[in-house]
Amino acid sequence: MARQSNRSKAKSPTPDEPVTEVEETTADDEAPAADEPEIVEAVATEDDDEAGVDPAEQRAFWEDLRIDPVEIALPAGTGYTLRAYRLSTELTPTDTSDREEDDLFAARARADEDEDDDADLFTDEELAEQAEAAGREERRKARGDDEDDEDEADHDEVEEPTAEDEHEEDEDEDDEPEAEEVPVFLTHRGKLLLFRSAEGLVSFVRSGAPHDLAQVDTWTRLAERLEPANVAPLDEDSYELDLVVENLRGGHDSWDPPLIIEAGEVARDLAYALRLPSVLDMLSPGNSLDDLDEALRGVVDGGIGGFMARRRLRKIGAQTASLGWRTIIGKISAAVDWRD
């Protein structure tokens, strides 16, 4: 009440009031207002610090390099790495010679080498053709020049390519693998390099240490420009593999479709880049985990398809799904090299 009385005097001073009282009252009223601008400025400064680097500039930085920072959460912890997509013809796969017996890709390479070793061996048909050619040569020598010309004409007719021969050539061309866009991570000798801090990742990039991502065309520019503030993965590049098994154990009603779908996407990329054929097989079409993935995508899409997808999910056992994903995460975790 005393503050209200002072404000009344300030508005309607009387001749008997000392001037000093009016000045003191005015000073008291104006004191809080004088402090307000300082508080506002402090808050604004704090917000500016939290804002950090402009998101648009961050996106432009990574899009120019065609490389992305990735955050992966595993049971052992959360770490940062890098991922890019390039044509398969531009990349050399990571070296997995230490575990070649488990490497499907290496097994295929060995099979191709075996085929090359057998190239010097002839089939029965090829041996018969060679014997026939040798017989013709002997007959040419025994006959005159005229007969030789006739034989050569006959030989030319035989050597003309048939439709069947052309078809075989087309099949050989089709057997050559076509270039496709494939993932490549910050890996070395079959191990995924994960860094617990952005500073650790940047330090490694600048160190010049060997790794598989160095073969990417924009790597040199990245090594020159990367700063810890740039290591800020987007939501779609952050994967919580550590939560998948527990979520699946909760039963059909608690399953989190985006969580499991995103986990499947990064698991396929990692399985390809790390050359983990068993993981690729578990997530391939026709297997239960791929059926789970498709059904969850149908749920996300909604509509009638979403209703049917929920019915399909009921047919997938929660225990089977959780055990399958536990195996996948275990194999990926075993192929991780934690840094810093």
Side-chain angles (χ1 to χ4, degrees), residues 97-171:
S97 56
D98 295 340
R99 52 183 170 89
E100 185 173 314
E101 66 278 1
D102 298 327
D103 190 352
L104 177 63
F105 299 91
R108 289 175 178 171
R110 289 196 301 271
D112 292 340
E113 291 177 0
D114 293 340
E115 290 180 1
D116 292 339
D117 293 339
D118 294 339
D120 294 335
L121 302 178
F122 298 103
T123 64
D124 293 340
E125 294 180 356
E126 291 173 335
L127 290 173
E129 290 178 359
Q130 292 179 17
E132 183 180 350
R136 283 198 301 268
E137 183 65 23
E138 292 178 356
R139 289 195 297 271
R140 286 195 192 97
K141 293 179 180 178
R143 300 175 186 173
D145 294 338
D146 294 339
E147 292 179 353
D148 288 342
D149 294 339
E150 292 178 1
D151 287 340
E152 288 177 3
D154 294 339
H155 179 69
D156 293 339
E157 291 179 1
V158 174
E159 292 297 329
E160 289 181 0
T162 62
E164 183 178 354
D165 294 333
E166 293 177 356
H167 178 67
E168 290 178 357
E169 292 178 0
D170 293 339
E171 288 183 350

Side-chain angles (χ1 to χ4, degrees), residues 145-219:
D145 294 338
D146 294 339
E147 292 179 353
D148 288 342
D149 294 339
E150 292 178 1
D151 287 340
E152 288 177 3
D154 294 339
H155 179 69
D156 293 339
E157 291 179 1
V158 174
E159 292 297 329
E160 289 181 0
T162 62
E164 183 178 354
D165 294 333
E166 293 177 356
H167 178 67
E168 290 178 357
E169 292 178 0
D170 293 339
E171 288 183 350
D172 292 338
E173 293 178 359
D174 294 339
D175 290 340
E176 296 181 2
E178 295 183 0
E180 58 180 344
E181 195 173 65
V182 297
V184 55
F185 286 82
L186 194 60
T187 56
H188 181 58
R189 296 188 65 84
K191 292 285 188 177
L192 173 68
L193 306 183
L194 273 184
F195 298 82
R196 299 185 187 276
S197 67
E199 291 77 11
L201 173 60
V202 174
S203 177
F204 176 83
V205 169
R206 294 175 177 175
S207 70
H211 55 84
D212 299 311
L213 204 56
Q215 61 187 308
V216 172
D217 53 353
T218 57
W219 178 257

Side-chain angles (χ1 to χ4, degrees), residues 237-297:
D237 293 326
S238 298
Y239 305 96
E240 298 174 312
L241 295 180
D242 57 329
L243 303 180
V244 174
V245 173
E246 193 65 28
N247 181 257
L248 290 171
R249 285 176 177 170
H252 301 83
D253 295 333
S254 65
W255 286 354
D256 184 348
L259 170 70
I260 302 171
I261 291 171
E262 292 170 2
E265 291 173 349
V266 73
R268 289 182 179 88
D269 280 358
L270 288 171
Y272 183 91
L274 295 171
R275 304 175 75 159
L276 301 173
S278 57
V279 175
L280 284 175
D281 183 63
M282 293 178 69
L283 295 170
S284 63
N287 288 335
S288 59
L289 293 184
D290 184 68
D291 293 340
L292 170 64
D293 183 84
E294 287 196 3
L296 290 172
R297 291 177 186 274

